[in-house]
Amino acid sequence: MPNKPVPSPEGSTAYLPLSRRSLLQVLGVGGTAAALGAGLASAAHAADTPPATADEPGEQPLTLKVNGQAQTLQVDPRTTLLDALRERLHLTGTKKGCDHGQCGACTVHVNGRRVNSCLSLALMHEGDEITTIEGLGTPDRLHPMQVAFVEHDAYQCGYCTSGQIMSAVALAKEPYGASAMEIKEAMSGNICRCGAYSHILAAIQQTRKA
Ligand code: FES
Ligand code: FES
């Protein structure tokens, strides 16, 4: 992998030669686990941090059930579900890639169905049940799809991984078969810039066989 830029004390940027493996070791986790770990860490942070309730002019109340917990917050009507999750509830496991519905990095479940959260206004989800990557598994008890992604090395940088996993889990309830072609079609809304597609496909096929 390319050298990793590291800010020096003087403010300039130095470059340290880090391999992918050593970078992951520095992070203390593997790629999917990194995405997952970030999510879990942010979930813990969310538990510690009360939702922002500042009553700004024009904001409106919103109640969601997020990862099994009721959340009440005030949001500007223009706030997307993605920004409400990331900026207001600090659930940063869900990623913002394109912010235009083109990459799938922001995929979450709304009432069990996958949704690009960047394309959906938060206020449209009053009372809805939202599941993010933080609500899928725990470090001690990973979701089978998370296990499959780890076993098949189905990630590189990990940025797309939470969206890939959320999409893949929802896919199991959709009318798609287990063939490679059908899975590719069903997952075509989730872009991986690292090109880990064959590994992602293998991970999803493993869960289909289980
Ligand atoms: S960030 Fe939502 S689809 Fe890319
Ligand atoms: S693992 Fe890097 S974008 Fe998919």
Side-chain angles (χ1 to χ4, degrees):
M1 67 173 294
N3 291 349
K4 180 74 178 168
V6 178
S8 73
E10 296 78 31
S12 60
T13 300
Y15 286 82
L16 294 179
L18 287 178
S19 67
R20 173 176 178 247
R21 192 61 64 190
S22 63
L23 176 60
L24 294 178
Q25 285 169 344
V26 168
L27 293 174
V29 286
T32 298
L36 177 63
L40 293 168
S42 64
H45 179 62
D48 294 342
T49 309
T53 54
D55 212 353
E56 297 291 334
E59 289 195 337
Q60 295 185 23
L62 171 66
T63 301
L64 303 170
K65 193 168 186 182
V66 182
N67 298 332
Q69 286 192 322
Q71 300 280 2
T72 301
L73 56 164
Q74 300 279 336
V75 295
D76 183 292
R78 297 165 294 184
T79 304
T80 64
L81 179 59
L82 173 61
D83 284 341
L85 293 170
R86 285 181 55 86
E87 309 296 333
R88 308 302 294 270
L89 298 178
H90 309 292
L91 294 168
T92 54
T94 304
K95 301 304 183 197
K96 182 182 282 188
C98 63
D99 209 19
H100 285 86
Q102 296 173 346
C103 73
C106 64
T107 305
V108 299
H109 297 173
V110 175
N111 300 328
R113 301 186 64 181
R114 55 181 170 163
V115 165
N116 283 344
S117 59
C118 73
L119 287 185
S120 197
L121 293 174
L123 283 178
M124 295 169 60
H125 295 288
E126 173 66 33
D128 280 350
E129 292 198 20
I130 314 292
T131 305
T132 69
I133 191 72
E134 290 91 345
L136 208 60
T138 67
D140 296 333
R141 195 169 177 179
L142 293 176
H143 186 281
M145 190 65 73
Q146 292 170 311
V147 172
F149 267 63
V150 171
E151 289 181 354
H152 288 274
D153 204 19
Y155 46 81
Q156 289 188 39
C157 75
Y159 197 82
C160 73
T161 308
S162 54
Q164 300 277 3
I165 291 174
M166 296 307 291
S167 214
V169 170
L171 171 60
K173 299 177 193 162
E174 297 174 13
Y176 287 100
S179 72
M181 188 171 293
E182 284 185 84
I183 293 173
K184 285 180 186 177
E185 169 64 24
M187 293 294 293
S188 60
N190 289 83
I191 306 301
C192 175
R193 289 165 183 80
C194 298
Y197 294 112
S198 59
H199 297 252
I200 292 169
L201 174 62
I204 296 172
Q205 286 183 312
Q206 174 177 302
T207 64
R208 293 267 167 148
K209 289 175 193 154

